[in-house]
């Protein structure tokens, strides 16, 4: 809502309060003023001029040579390019020395050899937006009414010496979609009175009811419809002050009748509609739901197909307006109109919202109906419009109105105790102070003991319950005046849950290990949704996605991390390590919520390490990433519970991928991205993992216990084994560990050889075994005994022999 | 004989002083003090001396021997020290060459903001509550006083999956769920961070996915003044002790009265700049007293219990705090962007 500071003074005395001060006060007490526009900012030296002579420019077809009286002695010569400039006009002249918006300075000039002393201005040149300039002046200069005084300040005459407050209204404050509503708000803030607009009807001795009958079939959607009739109107421009007020509010002037309905819309917040009575084709108004498939051409000349959801105003048979949204081309007021049928009605929000949305017709009128107009102001708005039509369009208003009124208007009566107000806000207000606040708002208020009863006027439909009253008290008392305290009551422990705490540990660990945290989108494309998924489930698809790329909830984080690698690689960052924690979404059928499983995924690509001047360079490989995971599992106390099993996973290298098992259950994978995909994404060798973070964080961690520092020396035996190439280290390790029993403290792989010096199909793998007894020093014989058992077990279970 | 000894001492000392290496020195040692050396030879000739002269000469010979040995030792020490210094000099390196880089990653800026806020409120006795990102219409809207048909819940603005299931549009459903779980009992003090989704086209200031953090306090006798005090602590801890706060009335369906909080602009200190659009104030969060309908729907007696709630956007806070100019940076994960958030403040 745009509020003219000057116009507002019709209703509230604003003396001593500048527009900026007012904006600040309004903002602090409830309605955000998003900006204050100074309409004449950067404009000086524009006066009313009289075009005393206009002739064709001798050297240019499209220019006129004008002699313009600007009230400073002799007329001055001005060259003008506007097609509509004519002798006798009163126009806005930017005189020599004037400044126009954009710091455009007017100087003496010669145009095609002819002297020009100033510029005749269009409204856009004076800083107005093209969309609010009246159509007849949109291609040329603006022309003042003949009574404009030569030499007068043209900017003042155009009401541009004004400031406009732009209100950002929340949905509950639809009452401020009108100048009167804003006036009540401002009056409450300033503690001043509201002056209502005048209505002095002098009807002619004819009755509107003889001209028109009104019937309403759809009473629920339209509980009030009042039709007034105004005869003998003369269609012409509205008075300049009215046109300029409309323009300040962002509405383009048309003609006096239409402008008056728009003026009332702004003044009362009540949309009205003017029909050309003679074009209605009947003496009847029937309001009903449209029939499915019914056609209707709105006054923007678009044919619309209606449904039974839409409410129409008809002449008994044909629609003449889409209720509350837009009138029809068939009954529109034109320059020939002489009798006006003026509609003032109450349409319910839902009906209008549906129609305006279905037809893409959001207008100043529909917006007000949608949010709810004041039921008590409907009739008054019609009366005031009729009065203005009599005054400014020469019309004769007929007595009464044809009315259907089943609207029951009961103002909300709400009671509240003083104690409640003070305990919710945290203040110590008295009954008198609270009453004073409601009186400022012009709410009827009574009190008995400490119970305060408030009757909210119908313009404030948002006041319904105690809390609404508390808000009114709080905001007019001033939010900033509310004390600053902290909650009192029983103490609550502030602490992360174990899960949340461990998740932070995981992040810190991975970052310490060199990975950056990424955050990616949960929505992905059909193609990517299926990639790398640990579990195959049905896709969870949005009903109305914005694009195919973001239409399905992810089943895996990995495709998004691949995107991150691709993006960075394409920008010369091809050595990269990233991770992400976040939910993946596993469908559980259509009608229930999906399972949201928190996953952890990581990816490393390119060089893991390089220190160029020392000639060190190390590309990422499987064991770099596995080492990071092993460290993570150790941190979470899961080393003993996790195993790695060679496996094939979609989009992964078939020979370089392992499933990660927790207590034998698959919870994730680690390995190299399939070379085909690496190539598609233009990545260097890339190793990735993804696992269920939920699974590893929900695992109970054994309490930390001190285990003593060994006091006796250990004995180490190294062995090099020859085994089949297919025998994996994990199996050998298990055999050694089992056979070694409790004296075997540590088993480490220290060499792997698969070269040509080995027999075909064999490899050599070397282990270092550390034996120790925490209670005493082991003898050589004791170690040899256990070690022999280990070697025998290796031979028996894995066919491993010592390398000769 | 006596003279010969004196001569030898002179000679030896001269040689020692002139020697320049440990080897040379050793040769001198062997030459003068060795078994075949001249002093030993002199002593061998002592047999010819009288019994009176012998001890005198013996003492003298030992004196000479000791004098030579002492000087020799001192010289040896000097030469050894010089050798060490020479070795160290040859080992010197260029300390200005760069060190071996340590690979370290860091938090995503949004996580950084979220954890900072979490920790701040944990310190004030709050717990961190989380909930599903795919939500029932009931928890996302209805339980928050947004019944079906409410203008603020336009289908166009939310990602629905079915008529009853959607991607949550805010983290408020976590509040509704937490209250329901507490079965009408207080106190509740929670902070709810998480991802939320809206049907927006991605551009510099909009993102179809973004983060939100909300807080909720429910208890007996929770006052608006408690909200005021809490928000002030938050603003000062998060944005600096010299920040001022300003509360403005606003409207949210789930709170009444509703509040918007501005902080004095951290860029210009309140004098007016482009960031605060010349107002000196920056809008930072929405808040209010929990609407009685919301309390009642979650099973709380709104006559007995009151509460306050607040909500804010980590992206907006990060953009203001770090001067980030495009919200899409948070989701593109350009490593040149991510790397900038390693420094501890």
């Amino acid at each position: 809502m745009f509020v003219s500071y000057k116009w507002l003074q019709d209703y509230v005395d604003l003396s001593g309060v500048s527009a900026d001060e007012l904006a600040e006060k309004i903002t602090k007490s409830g309605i955000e003023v998003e900006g204050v526009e100074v309409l004449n900012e950067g404009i000086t030296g524009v006066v009313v001029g009289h075009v005393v002579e206009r002739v064709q420019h001798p050297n240019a077809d499209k220019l006129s040579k004008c002699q313009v009286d600007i009230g400073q002695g002799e007329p001055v010569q001005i060259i003008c390019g506007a097609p509509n400039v004519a002798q006798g006009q009163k126009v806005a002249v930017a005189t020599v020395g004037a400044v126009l918006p954009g710091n455009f300075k007017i100087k003496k000039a010669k145009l095609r050899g002819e002297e020009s002393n100033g510029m005749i201005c269009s409204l856009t040149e004076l800083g107005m937006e093209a969309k609010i300039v009246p159509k007849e002046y949109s291609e040329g200069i603006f022309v003042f009414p003949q009574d404009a005084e030569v030499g007068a300040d043209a900017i003042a005459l155009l009401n541009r010496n004004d400031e406009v407050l732009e209100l950002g209204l929340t949905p509950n404050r639809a009452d401020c979609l009108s100048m009167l509503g804003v006036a009540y708000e401002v009056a409450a803030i300033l503690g001043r009175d509201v002056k209502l607009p005048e209505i002095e009807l002098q009807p002619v001795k004819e009755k509107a009811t003889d001209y028109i009958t009104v019937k309403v079939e759809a009473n629920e959607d339209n509980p009030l419809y009042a039709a007034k009739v105004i005869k003998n109107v003369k269609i012409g421009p509205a008075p300049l002050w009215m046109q300029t007020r409309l323009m300040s509010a962002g509405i383009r002037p048309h003609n006096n009748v239409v402008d008056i309905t728009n003026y009332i819309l702004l003044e009362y917040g009540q949309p009205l509609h003017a029909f050309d009575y003679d074009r209605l084709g009947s003496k009847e108004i029937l309001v009903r739901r449209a029939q499915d498939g019914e056609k209707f051409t709105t006054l923007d000349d678009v044919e619309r197909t209606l449904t039974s959801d839409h409410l129409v105003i008809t002449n008994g048979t044909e629609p003449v307006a889409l209720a509350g949204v837009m009138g029809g081309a068939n009954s529109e007021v034109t320059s020939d109109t002489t009798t006006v049928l003026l509609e003032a009605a109450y349409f319910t929000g839902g009906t209008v919202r549906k129609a305006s949305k279905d037809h893409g017709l959001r207008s100043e009128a529909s917006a007000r109906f949608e949010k709810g107009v004041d039921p008590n102001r409907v009739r008054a708005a019609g009366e005031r419009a009729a009065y203005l039509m009599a005054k400014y369009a020469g019309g004769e208003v007929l007595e009464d109105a044809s009315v259907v009124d089943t609207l029951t208007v009961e103002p909300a009566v709400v009671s509240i105790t003083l104690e409640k107000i003070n305990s919710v806000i945290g203040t110590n207000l008295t009954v008198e102070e609270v009453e004073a606040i409601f009186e400022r708002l012009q709410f009827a208020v009574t009190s008995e003991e400490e119970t305060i009863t408030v009757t909210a006027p119908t313009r404030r439909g948002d006041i319904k319950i105690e809390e609404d009253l508390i808000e009114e008290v709080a905001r007019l008392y001033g939010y900033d005046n509310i004390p600053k305290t902290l909650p009192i009551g029983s103490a609550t422990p502030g602490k992360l849950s174990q899960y949340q705490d461990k998740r932070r540990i995981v992040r810190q660990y991975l970052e310490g290990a060199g990975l950056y945290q990424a955050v990616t989108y949960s929505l992905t494309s059909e193609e990517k949704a299926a990639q790398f998924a640990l579990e195959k489930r049905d896709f969870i698809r949005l009903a109305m996605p914005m694009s195919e790329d973001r239409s399905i909830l992810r089943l895996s984080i990995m495709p998004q991390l691949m995107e991150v690698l691709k993006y960075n690689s394409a920008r010369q960052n091809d050595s990269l390590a990233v991770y992400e924690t976040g939910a993946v979404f596993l469908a559980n059928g259509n009608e229930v919520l999906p399972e949201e499983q928190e996953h952890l995924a990581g990816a490393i690509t390119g060089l893991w390490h390089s220190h160029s001047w020392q000639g060190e360079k190390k590309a990422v490989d499987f064991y770099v990433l596995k080492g990071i995971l092993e460290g993570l599992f150790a941190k979470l106390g899961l080393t003993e519970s996790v195993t790695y099993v060679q496996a094939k996973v979609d989009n992964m290298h078939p020979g370089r991928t392992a499933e990660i098992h927790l207590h034998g259950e698959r919870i994730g994978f680690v390995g190299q991205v399939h070379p085909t995909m690496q190539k598609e994404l233009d990545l260097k060798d890339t190793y990735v993992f993804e696992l269920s973070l939920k699974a590893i964080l929900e695992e109970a961690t054994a309490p930390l216990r001190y285990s003593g520092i060994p006091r006796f020396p250990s004995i180490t035996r190294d062995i090099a084994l020859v085994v089949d190439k297919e025998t994996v280290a994990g199996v050998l390790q298990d055999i050694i560990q089992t056979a070694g029993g409790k004296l075997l403290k540590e088993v480490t792989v220290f060499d792997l050889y698969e070269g040509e010096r080995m027999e075909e199909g064999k490899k050599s793998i070397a282990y270092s075994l550390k034996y120790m007894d925490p209670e005493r020093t082991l003898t050589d014989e004791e170690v040899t005994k256990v070690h022999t058992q280990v070697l025998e077990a290796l031979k028996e279970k894995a066919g491993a022999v010592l390398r000769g | 004989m006596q003279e010969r000894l004196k001569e030898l001492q002179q000679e030896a000392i001269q040689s020692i002083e002139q020697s320049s290496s440990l080897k040379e020195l050793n040769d001198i040692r062997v030459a003068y003090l060795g078994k075949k050396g001249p002093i030993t030879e002199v002593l061998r000739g002592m047999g010819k001396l009288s019994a009176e002269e012998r001890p005198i000469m013996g003492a003298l010979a030992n004196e000479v021997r000791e004098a030579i040995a002492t000087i020799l030792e001192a010289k040896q020490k000097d030469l050894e020290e010089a050798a060490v210094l020479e070795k160290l000099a040859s080992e010197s390196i260029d300390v200005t060459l760069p060190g071996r880089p340590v690979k370290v990653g860091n938090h995503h800026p949004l996580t950084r903001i979220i954890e900072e806020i979490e920790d701040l409120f944990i310190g004030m006795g709050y717990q961190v509550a989380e909930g599903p990102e795919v939500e029932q219409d009931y928890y996302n809207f209805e339980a928050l006083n947004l019944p079906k048909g409410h203008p603020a819940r336009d289908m166009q603005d939310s990602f629905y999956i079915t008529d009853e299931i959607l991607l949550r549009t805010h983290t408020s459903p976590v509040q509704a769920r937490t209250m329901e779980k507490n079965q009408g009992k207080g106190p509740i003090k929670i902070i709810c961070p998480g991802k939320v989704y809206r049907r927006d086209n991605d551009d510099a200031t909009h993102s179809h996915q973004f983060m939100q953090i909300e807080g909720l306090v429910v208890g007996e006798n929770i006052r608006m003044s408690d909200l005021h005090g809490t928000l002030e602590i938050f603003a000062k801890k998060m944005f600096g002790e010299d920040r001022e706060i300003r509360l403005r009335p606003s409207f949210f369906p789930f709170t009444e009265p509703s509040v918007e909080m501005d902080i004095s602009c951290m860029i210009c200190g309140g004098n007016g700049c482009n960031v605060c659009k010349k107002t000196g104030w920056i809008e930072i969060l929405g808040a209010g007293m929990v609407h009685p309908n919301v309390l009642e729907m979650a099973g709380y007696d709104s006559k007995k219990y009151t509460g306050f709630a607040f909500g804010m956007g980590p992206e907006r806070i990060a953009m203001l705090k770090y001067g980030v100019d495009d919200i899409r940076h948070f989701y593109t994960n350009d490593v040149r962007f991510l790397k900038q958030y390693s420094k501890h403040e």
Side-chain angles (χ1 to χ4, degrees), chain A residues 304-305 307 309-310 352-361:
Chain A
R304 302 184 186 265
T305 306
T307 73
D309 287 336
H310 306 140
V352 174
R353 184 178 310 122
K354 180 86 178 110
S356 74
K357 205 170 130 186
D358 288 355
H359 297 289
L361 285 172

Side-chain angles (χ1 to χ4, degrees), chain A residues 289-339:
Chain A
R289 290 288 187 114
Q291 286 136 22
D292 283 321
E294 194 169 0
K295 303 270 194 245
F296 171 57
T297 303
T298 41
L299 52 77
D300 53 2
D301 287 324
V302 178
E303 190 187 72
R304 302 184 186 265
T305 306
L306 308 176
T307 73
S308 59
D309 287 336
H310 306 140
L311 190 70
V312 286
I313 315 301
T314 71
N315 61 3
T317 45
E318 296 288 309
V320 291
L322 186 55
V325 180
M326 195 178 259
N330 53 9
S331 56
E332 186 185 358
V333 168
T334 68
S335 53
D336 300 328
T337 300
T338 56
T339 304

Side-chain angles (χ1 to χ4, degrees), chain A residues 24 27-30 32 170-172 353 357 420 423-426 465 467-468 470-471 474-475 479-480 482-488 490 492-496 500 503-504 507-508 511-523 540-546 550 553-554 564 567-568 571 573 576-583 585 590-594 596 607-611 613-614 616, chain B residues 97-101 103-108 111 115 118-119 122 125-136 149 151 154-156 159-162 165 167 177 187 189 195 197 199-202 207-209 211 217 220-230 232-233 245-251 256-260 283 289 291-292 302 306 308 330-336 338-339:
Chain A
E24 171 79 11
T27 294
K28 289 188 81 168
S29 56
E32 189 179 358
T170 50
N172 60 326
R353 184 178 310 122
K357 205 170 130 186
K420 173 91 180 176
S423 71
V424 171
I425 306 177
I465 56 173
E467 283 70 16
D468 297 323
I470 294 173
E471 180 166 67
R475 73 186 184 90
Y479 276 13
D480 286 339
I482 296 172
K484 291 167 190 164
T485 58
L486 287 176
I488 17 181
S490 52
T492 46
K495 196 174 189 306
L496 290 175
Q500 291 161 347
R503 179 169 50 201
R504 285 198 181 183
R507 287 183 184 144
Q508 281 160 15
E511 287 159 17
L515 280 67
Y516 287 95
Q517 187 193 15
V519 177
T520 63
Y521 295 132
S522 304
L523 287 166
I540 303 171
R541 225 177 262 278
L542 297 181
M544 282 195 296
M546 300 287 282
R550 308 265 171 247
L553 282 167
R554 66 184 180 187
V564 172
Y567 174 92
N568 282 290
R571 285 161 184 79
N573 287 303
L576 198 64
V578 290
Y579 81 95
E580 177 171 359
T581 59
F585 303 84
N590 254 343
E591 295 308 316
V592 287
L593 294 183
E596 290 184 25
L607 289 178
W608 176 246
H609 166 72
S610 81
H611 194 208
W613 72 264
Q614 288 189 314
E616 290 175 26
Chain B
L97 277 166
R100 196 171 197 275
K103 218 176 162 68
V104 184
N106 55 251
H107 274 13
H108 188 280
T111 307
E115 286 192 1
E118 281 176 358
D119 291 343
I122 285 171
Y126 288 63
Q127 294 191 340
V128 178
E130 293 168 279
E133 291 169 33
V134 181
E135 222 355 318
Q136 289 170 26
D154 201 323
M155 281 288 279
Q156 297 295 327
F159 284 123
Y160 274 88
I161 291 163
T162 68
I165 297 177
L167 303 192
R177 280 175 178 274
K189 275 172 111 176
K195 291 172 188 157
Y197 306 85
R199 228 172 150 274
D200 268 329
N201 276 313
D202 296 341
S207 181
H208 76 274
Q209 174 184 321
M211 301 283 187
V217 174
E220 290 175 42
N221 199 23
I222 298 294
R223 300 155 298 175
M224 211 168 156
S225 55
D226 300 332
L227 173 65
H228 200 184
T230 303
E232 187 182 56
I233 289 179
I245 67 165
R246 174 174 90 164
L247 298 188
R248 287 184 286 109
S250 187
F251 173 77
E256 182 82 30
S258 299
V259 175
E260 265 177 279
E283 194 176 312
M289 300 303 287
H291 196 289
S302 67
T306 48
F308 65 73
F330 296 114
Y331 295 94
T332 310
N333 298 291
D334 189 318
V335 73
R336 294 165 296 182
L338 297 178
K339 268 183 184 171

Side-chain angles (χ1 to χ4, degrees), chain A residues 523-673:
Chain A
L523 287 166
T524 186
S525 65
E526 178 155 353
E527 185 202 352
K528 285 187 189 154
Q531 291 172 351
F532 300 98
L534 272 173
E535 279 195 59
K536 303 288 178 225
R537 298 271 185 109
D538 287 345
F539 290 151
I540 303 171
R541 225 177 262 278
L542 297 181
M544 282 195 296
M546 300 287 282
S547 70
E548 173 50 32
D549 280 352
R550 308 265 171 247
S551 60
I552 292 173
L553 282 167
R554 66 184 180 187
L555 285 153
S556 156
I557 297 177
M558 195 52 65
Q560 315 290 63
L561 283 190
M562 287 293 111
E563 254 329 279
V564 172
L565 296 192
K566 183 184 164 189
Y567 174 92
N568 282 290
S569 280
R571 285 161 184 79
Q572 297 169 313
N573 287 303
D574 53 6
S575 292
L576 198 64
V578 290
Y579 81 95
E580 177 171 359
T581 59
V584 303
F585 303 84
L586 308 173
N588 271 333
N590 254 343
E591 295 308 316
V592 287
L593 294 183
E595 181 192 340
E596 290 184 25
Q597 203 176 66
E598 188 163 23
H599 271 205
L600 167 65
I604 59 177
T605 186
L607 289 178
W608 176 246
H609 166 72
S610 81
H611 194 208
S612 356
W613 72 264
Q614 288 189 314
E616 290 175 26
K617 227 178 213 188
K618 164 99 183 81
V620 298
D621 66 22
F622 181 87
Y623 300 102
V624 167
L625 193 55
K626 190 181 176 190
I628 291 173
L629 284 178
E630 284 169 341
L632 176 67
F633 295 139
K635 193 108 198 145
L636 297 170
L638 298 175
T639 304
E640 307 296 324
S641 320
V642 170
T643 47
Y644 301 84
V645 181
Q646 189 96 27
K648 298 207 184 335
V649 173
D650 284 356
N651 305 106
M652 297 292 288
H653 191 303
R656 295 186 176 177
T657 300
E659 282 180 355
I660 301 166
H661 288 198
L662 179 67
H663 300 303
E665 294 251 355
R666 188 181 61 142
I667 57 154
F669 64 86
V670 53
Q672 186 180 355
V673 173

